[in-house]
């Protein structure tokens, strides 16, 4: 009589332990963003955190930023401290998650988006260190030939 009761307890224990994991697996995940950055760069870490908070899945590589930038065809003058790739598009620098979502929704024929340099007030460059300072910047759409156009302005 005791053996069936023991198996029953094990069964319920297994179910109870699996339920939280099933909930995690069932949650939708945002598009995967692969990021190449310097391991000591704090603003890159902050940008990645912002992407995660916006619902993106992120995989970080601590080296290879310059190599992947060249591989993706991003002109050197558009460079920043990190380079990313999402759904076949290149993302260079501190591009807001909102513009990445827009890019994925609109699907233009382009290499991707860039915020050249390290603009204070852009995502990842907006921490307490900057005391609320926000410089104007533009998110650029990079055409397949390397030319750019303004995709979105931030005042």
């Amino acid at each position: 009589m005791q053996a069936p009761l023991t198996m029953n307890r094990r069964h319920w224990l297994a179910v109870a332990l699996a339920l939280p994991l099933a909930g995690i697996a069932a949650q939708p995940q945002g598009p995967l963003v692969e990021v190449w950055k310097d391991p000591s760069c704090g603003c890159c870490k902050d940008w990645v955190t912002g992407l995660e908070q916006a619902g993106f899945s992120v995989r970080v590589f601590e080296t290879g930023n310059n190599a992947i930038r060249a591989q993706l065809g991003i002109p050197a003058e558009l460079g920043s401290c990190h380079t990313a790739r999402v759904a076949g598009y290149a993302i260079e620098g501190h591009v807001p998650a909102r513009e990445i979502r827009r890019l994925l929704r609109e699907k233009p024929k382009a290499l991707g988006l860039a915020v050249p340099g390290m603009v204070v007030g852009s995502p990842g460059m907006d921490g307490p260190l900057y005391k609320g300072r926000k410089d104007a910047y533009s998110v650029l759409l990079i055409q397949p030939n390397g030319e750019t156009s303004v995709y979105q302005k931030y005042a």
Side-chain angles (χ1 to χ4, degrees):
M1 217 34 146
Q2 188 136 358
L5 184 59
T6 303
M7 287 179 63
N8 195 20
R9 283 185 188 155
R10 286 184 186 157
H11 173 75
W12 284 111
L13 180 60
V15 169
L17 291 173
L19 281 176
L21 295 175
I24 290 170
Q27 291 176 359
Q29 294 182 350
L32 175 64
V33 181
E34 296 174 298
V35 180
W36 288 264
K37 66 175 210 56
D38 183 283
S40 62
C41 186
C43 66
C44 295
K45 290 175 189 170
D46 292 345
W47 184 74
V48 165
T49 298
L51 289 180
E52 291 170 334
Q53 290 171 346
F56 288 95
S57 298
V58 183
R59 181 182 320 151
V60 176
F61 301 93
E62 298 292 346
T63 61
N65 180 28
N66 293 330
I68 195 69
R69 182 183 308 124
Q71 181 183 334
L72 295 173
I74 301 170
E77 63 269 15
L78 300 179
S80 185
C81 55
H82 58 264
T83 304
R85 180 174 54 197
V86 59
Y89 287 106
I91 306 295
E92 181 66 28
H94 295 270
V95 176
R98 179 175 108 177
E99 304 314 327
I100 297 171
R101 288 211 180 280
R102 178 179 160 206
L103 177 78
L104 297 176
R105 187 176 60 251
E106 293 177 355
K107 296 181 170 107
K109 291 186 185 213
L111 288 178
L113 300 174
V115 173
M118 297 172 68
V119 183
V120 174
S122 62
M125 294 289 295
D126 54 356
L129 172 70
Y130 304 104
K131 301 177 183 174
R133 180 177 145 199
K134 292 188 183 281
D135 295 347
Y137 67 96
S138 292
V139 177
L140 303 177
L141 181 69
I142 310 167
Q143 302 299 327
N145 65 3
E147 293 182 17
T148 63
S149 59
V150 174
Y151 194 66
Q152 183 67 46
K153 287 185 178 187
Y154 285 83

